[in-house]
Amino acid sequence: MAVVREERADAARNRKAILEAADELFATSDSPGEVSMDDIARAAGVGKGTLFRRFGDRANLIRQVYAVRLAPLREQIQSGPPPLGPDTPPRTRVAAIIDAIAVVKLDNAHLMLALEEGGGPTSGIYGSADYVGVHGLLRDLVATELGVGRAGWVAHVLLATVRADLLRHVTEGEGMSHSALRSSLRDFVDDTLDH
Amino acid sequence: MAVVREERADAARNRKAILEAADELFATSDSPGEVSMDDIARAAGVGKGTLFRRFGDRANLIRQVYAVRLAPLREQIQSGPPPLGPDTPPRTRVAAIIDAIAVVKLDNAHLMLALEEGGGPTSGIYGSADYVGVHGLLRDLVATELGVGRAGWVAHVLLATVRADLLRHVTEGEGMSHSALRSSLRDFVDDTLDH
DNA sequence: TGCCAAGCGGACCAGCAGTCCGTATCATGC
DNA sequence: GCATGATACGGACTGCTGGTCCGCTTGGCA
């Protein structure tokens, strides 16, 4: 077993600076597509080489920023208290998870757009570990209500319902309030699980 | 009233060649993102300037190709016989429309991906006339079943359900057959309209 | 303090969408 | 059939992108 090399201090500092700069830029830019890697490097006070050395490519950088923002939610779902944590009746938990995802995406709209737009060339969001993970969990939860046959598909539909661009269109384009949206979403989840 | 200038013969010929070449390239390429405008110009036997003169930019070219492929469906919905045409009970019609959209997207998977990926920088699919149109129609149809309050949101959800990347993931990634997918979709639409 | 793996940065590259303009072609009036 | 001006053509060109490369610097260990 090889000893895992400790990350050098300057490397760690730069990683942090890059993640923060990227988060800031994605959060403030109107369209995430127009944030370039050079912009991020400059904002982080770092050379472009460093940026690519740390993160490999743009898609991965975006995923990492996203992972930071998503960590608390993942934590809550994996081992937090009800209604998100494991100690919750399936139906309630599904509703809570969908609601929580919606909230995170509404709060981090720009970043989530960046992820869903440029997250991967061929793969898209559906290939990401995050999607697969949450889909699997929802599938299992839904299966206890509707049976395994329909669960996989229903879980996809539930997640399609909280896609960042849809949420943005409904709130910014149609002017629906966040609370009205969340309530529609809740009704929809309820109805969907009623069969 | 100014007489509308007739399109010159060579211009018309080139437009057709470009649309056909683009359709072909998007249909055969694995990832639509890797089809460049130069590729299309070359395949159409036309200079790049011509291509941009006709279509303005990439997003618009994709929309035009898409419009050609979608024309028959739009026609059917606007004035065809049941179950797609206007002379159909709302519930049946909604199901038929969603199913027909799914079929078109499954049959033209690559092109639809191109549209949804690169259809517009900020706007995305939700800004497109096609989306707005079909959403409006579905909203009205759904309203007769569920009331106007929920109709707008439900129409969005129904359409989110037939997004090209989701359909692709479920069929190619998870290996679901087209018929199984369509049947899941039909069940889902039924259930959704049952409230 | 000396050493060297690890890390750094920015010049560099290939490829992209989109522009520009000198040249060629079409349609029309005669 | 021909002259003529509007229309369209094409490909060199621009500016910018994501990503690579490599000579130089730095951090951490002995």
Side-chain angles (χ1 to χ4, degrees):
Chain A
M1 209 55 172
V3 174
V4 178
R5 274 254 166 235
E6 202 51 62
E7 181 178 53
R8 244 170 63 169
D10 50 348
R13 205 184 323 124
N14 282 335
R15 155 186 278 109
K16 196 158 154 279
I18 292 168
L19 283 175
E20 283 169 5
D23 189 302
E24 167 75 13
L25 284 177
F26 282 125
T28 51
S29 147
D30 267 9
S31 176
E34 67 196 21
V35 176
S36 76
M37 297 300 269
D38 297 70
D39 291 341
I40 296 170
R42 213 173 309 123
V46 138
K48 204 152 66 122
T50 303
L51 194 160
F52 279 95
R53 154 178 285 268
R54 285 284 136 246
F55 295 97
D57 62 14
R58 182 187 171 85
N60 191 249
L61 170 57
I62 294 175
R63 271 194 295 270
Q64 299 296 323
V65 180
Y66 172 87
V68 171
R69 288 272 180 177
L70 225 60
L73 175 55
R74 190 186 300 121
E75 165 78 11
Q76 286 281 310
I77 291 175
Q78 274 173 0
S79 55
L84 284 174
D87 206 12
T88 316
R91 208 195 158 102
T92 313
R93 197 170 174 211
V94 170
I97 290 174
I98 293 296
D99 184 60
I101 293 176
V103 169
V104 170
K105 292 205 182 183
L106 288 167
D107 287 348
N108 300 282
H110 295 302
L111 176 59
M112 298 300 144
L113 254 337
L115 200 252
E116 294 186 5
E117 273 178 20
T122 305
S123 60
I125 52 170
Y126 292 106
S128 78
D130 279 310
Y131 187 89
V132 172
V134 70
H135 175 261
L137 174 57
L138 287 176
R139 184 192 353 91
D140 295 344
L141 292 172
V142 170
T144 67
E145 296 279 313
L146 304 180
V148 290
R150 310 171 11 79
W153 171 254
V154 169
H156 281 306
V157 169
L158 289 175
L159 289 171
T161 269
V162 288
R163 282 180 69 152
D165 53 357
L166 174 56
L167 297 184
R168 173 166 81 165
H169 172 70
V170 170
T171 53
E172 290 179 28
E174 299 185 348
M176 195 175 197
S177 73
H178 286 203
S179 61
L181 171 56
R182 289 173 65 190
S183 135
S184 294
L185 213 36
R186 163 163 281 278
D187 287 350
F188 174 75
V189 173
D190 274 353
D191 290 349
T192 301
L193 295 183
D194 261 348
H195 292 271
Chain B
M1 212 45 177
V3 174
V4 177
R5 273 251 166 238
E6 202 52 60
E7 183 177 53
R8 244 170 64 169
D10 50 349
R13 205 184 323 124
N14 281 334
R15 156 185 279 110
K16 197 159 154 278
I18 292 167
L19 284 175
E20 283 169 6
D23 190 302
E24 167 75 13
L25 284 177
F26 283 125
T28 52
S29 147
D30 268 8
S31 176
E34 67 196 22
V35 176
S36 75
M37 297 299 269
D38 297 69
D39 291 340
I40 295 170
R42 214 172 308 123
V46 137
K48 206 153 64 124
T50 304
L51 194 160
F52 279 94
R53 155 177 285 270
R54 286 283 136 248
F55 295 98
D57 62 14
R58 181 187 171 83
N60 191 249
L61 170 58
I62 294 176
R63 271 195 294 271
Q64 301 295 322
V65 179
Y66 172 87
V68 171
R69 287 272 179 177
L70 225 60
L73 176 55
R74 192 187 298 122
E75 165 76 12
Q76 286 281 310
I77 291 174
Q78 273 172 0
S79 56
L84 284 173
D87 205 13
T88 316
R91 209 194 156 102
T92 313
R93 198 171 174 209
V94 169
I97 290 174
I98 293 296
D99 184 59
I101 293 176
V103 169
V104 170
K105 292 206 180 182
L106 288 168
D107 287 348
N108 301 282
H110 295 301
L111 176 58
M112 298 301 142
L113 254 337
L115 199 254
E116 293 186 6
E117 274 178 20
T122 305
S123 60
I125 53 170
Y126 292 106
S128 78
D130 278 310
Y131 187 90
V132 172
V134 71
H135 176 261
L137 174 57
L138 286 176
R139 184 192 352 91
D140 294 345
L141 292 172
V142 170
T144 68
E145 296 279 312
L146 304 181
V148 291
R150 310 170 12 79
W153 171 253
V154 168
H156 281 306
V157 169
L158 289 174
L159 289 171
T161 268
V162 289
R163 281 179 71 151
D165 54 357
L166 175 55
L167 297 184
R168 173 166 81 165
H169 172 70
V170 170
T171 54
E172 290 178 28
E174 299 185 348
M176 196 176 198
S177 74
H178 286 204
S179 61
L181 171 55
R182 289 173 65 190
S183 136
S184 294
L185 213 37
R186 163 163 280 280
D187 288 349
F188 174 75
V189 173
D190 274 354
D191 290 349
T192 301
L193 295 183
D194 261 349
H195 291 270

